[in-house]
Amino acid sequence: MTLYHVGIDGGGTSCRARIRDENNQLIGEAKSGSANIMLGSDIAMAAIIEAIHAAAKQAHLSEQDFRNMHVGLALAGAEHKNSWLAFMAQPHPFASLVLNTDAYGACLGAHNGDDGAIMIGGTGSCGILLKGGEQHVVGGREFPISDQGGGAIMGLRLIQQVLLAYDGIVEKTPLAEHVLNHFNHDVDAIVEWSKGAIPKDYGQFSPAIFQHAYQGDALAISMLKQTAQDIEMFLIALNKKGATRICLMGSIAERIKEWLSPPVQQWIVAPQFDAIEGALMMAGKAEHNLY
């Protein structure tokens, strides 16, 4: 019987799966939709199974092989106890399933299992330090009450400024025009959209913010300065907890380094591996009952 390790990195925007065989050879990798467990444990489980199914297909494996898979899950929302319990209460077809936060998986991967810290800035944000077997977390309590430095908060702030620009209170820059064009200059459409918008919906505007900032757009520059300040706040907090080696991870954090102050930049190091590899390490531990 061949056993497999599966690593899952799931956030508000996507769920990525990677399968390795007993010889640690990569045999399949795939992606599906949102796997933030606070958006629904059943939705997250469906996304996970979809991604694993697609990755397994690449290796000519079927659902019959799921029973031989040890799965490590690094998922957004796993820090929320009730969401964790609800997710883990679900039936699953795998040999074992272990769940921790996406930040924990990313930190394991970034420092190859050694002590160190990361600052994630993707759709959401979270800082984590692994030191002496203990994890210290800053932020990461989900949009909209936390997650400063993430794409969703950037998008929310942008929409607020765009509405002010529409009302003639602040300058209507090209970035503001870009967002208004997205909604066909219909403010009522923005309001209706906001009632059901989830983090990835707000986060979709972050690439435009970076693009317009590099073109000198005043609104975009102010957005990135605020995001840099937010991320720097968390980096300083991690440093006070003992972190001297911090990896920036995620679509926002990876692009924000040049906006950080020089004293903070000196703590930044490159990650060794990604969050999926961290999740695979979790799967390996689960197989040997180390959790």
Side-chain angles (χ1 to χ4, degrees), residues 241-289:
K241 292 179 184 294
T244 55
R245 297 166 61 249
I246 309 173
C247 300
L248 296 176
M249 306 183 79
S251 57
I252 306 300
E254 289 169 4
R255 289 184 286 177
I256 209 72
K257 183 180 177 182
E258 66 188 89
W259 297 80
L260 300 174
S261 62
V264 170
Q265 285 191 30
Q266 68 184 357
W267 303 328
I268 307 304
V269 298
Q272 295 181 55
F273 299 104
D274 63 13
I276 316 182
E277 289 301 316
L280 281 159
M281 293 178 202
M282 290 162 56
K285 289 182 179 180
E287 179 190 353
H288 297 101
N289 297 312

Side-chain angles (χ1 to χ4, degrees), residues 10-28:
T13 303
S14 66
C15 173
R16 299 182 297 156
R18 186 175 295 160
I19 305 175
R20 293 189 181 276
D21 63 17
E22 290 175 312
N23 299 316
N24 205 35
Q25 293 298 307
L26 175 64
I27 60 172

Side-chain angles (χ1 to χ4, degrees), residues 6 15 38-39 61 68 80 85 124 127 131 160 169 173 176 194 196 207 210 235 247:
V6 182
C15 173
M38 289 186 72
L39 298 178
L61 302 177
N68 301 326
H80 186 253
L85 291 170
K131 185 179 179 183
Q160 292 170 338
I169 297 169
T173 70
S194 73
F210 278 95
L235 293 174
C247 300

Side-chain angles (χ1 to χ4, degrees), residues 34-263:
S34 172
N36 182 327
I37 64 173
M38 289 186 72
L39 298 178
S41 55
D42 54 339
I43 294 171
M45 182 65 84
I48 289 159
I49 289 176
E50 180 187 343
I52 293 176
H53 192 275
K57 197 172 180 180
Q58 294 174 8
H60 305 292
L61 302 177
S62 70
E63 291 181 16
Q64 299 299 316
D65 297 292
F66 282 11
R67 70 187 72 170
N68 301 326
M69 294 180 178
H70 293 279
V71 182
L73 302 171
L75 303 181
E79 69 282 352
H80 186 253
K81 185 178 179 181
N82 287 341
S83 297
W84 189 96
L85 291 170
F87 181 89
M88 294 301 285
Q90 296 179 101
H92 67 81
F94 307 108
S96 70
L97 201 68
V98 60
L99 170 63
N100 209 315
T101 65
D102 52 344
Y104 179 81
C107 201
L108 272 183
H111 299 283
N112 198 19
D114 294 333
D115 287 357
I118 60 163
M119 182 63 215
I120 297 177
T123 306
S125 73
C126 185
I128 182 171
L129 166 65
L130 298 182
K131 185 179 179 183
E134 293 184 358
Q135 55 177 317
H136 307 272
V137 179
V138 293
R141 294 180 180 88
E142 298 290 321
F143 177 88
I145 61 168
S146 183
D147 284 3
Q148 297 94 327
I153 290 288
M154 283 176 69
L156 173 60
R157 287 177 178 152
L158 175 60
I159 294 295
Q160 292 170 338
Q161 291 298 310
V162 167
L163 293 176
L164 292 175
Y166 182 87
D167 290 339
I169 297 169
V170 300
E171 180 190 357
K172 189 183 287 184
T173 70
L175 174 59
E177 283 286 356
H178 169 82
V179 176
L180 286 168
N181 286 335
H182 179 85
F183 291 101
N184 296 314
H185 284 256
D186 185 347
V187 168
D188 285 343
I190 296 177
V191 174
E192 288 174 23
W193 168 86
S194 73
K195 299 307 178 188
I198 60 175
K200 71 175 182 179
D201 296 325
Y202 284 100
Q204 70 178 306
F205 297 107
S206 58
I209 295 173
F210 278 95
Q211 178 186 344
H212 282 83
Y214 291 124
Q215 293 169 358
D217 186 287
L219 174 58
I221 290 169
S222 71
M223 293 275 107
L224 288 193
K225 283 182 176 178
Q226 179 64 62
T227 297
Q229 286 176 12
D230 289 342
I231 288 178
E232 193 157 312
M233 168 183 72
F234 288 127
L235 293 174
I236 291 169
L238 288 168
N239 178 255
K240 286 180 178 177
K241 292 179 184 294
T244 55
R245 297 166 61 249
I246 309 173
C247 300
L248 296 176
M249 306 183 79
S251 57
I252 306 300
E254 289 169 4
R255 289 184 286 177
I256 209 72
K257 183 180 177 182
E258 66 188 89
W259 297 80
L260 300 174
S261 62

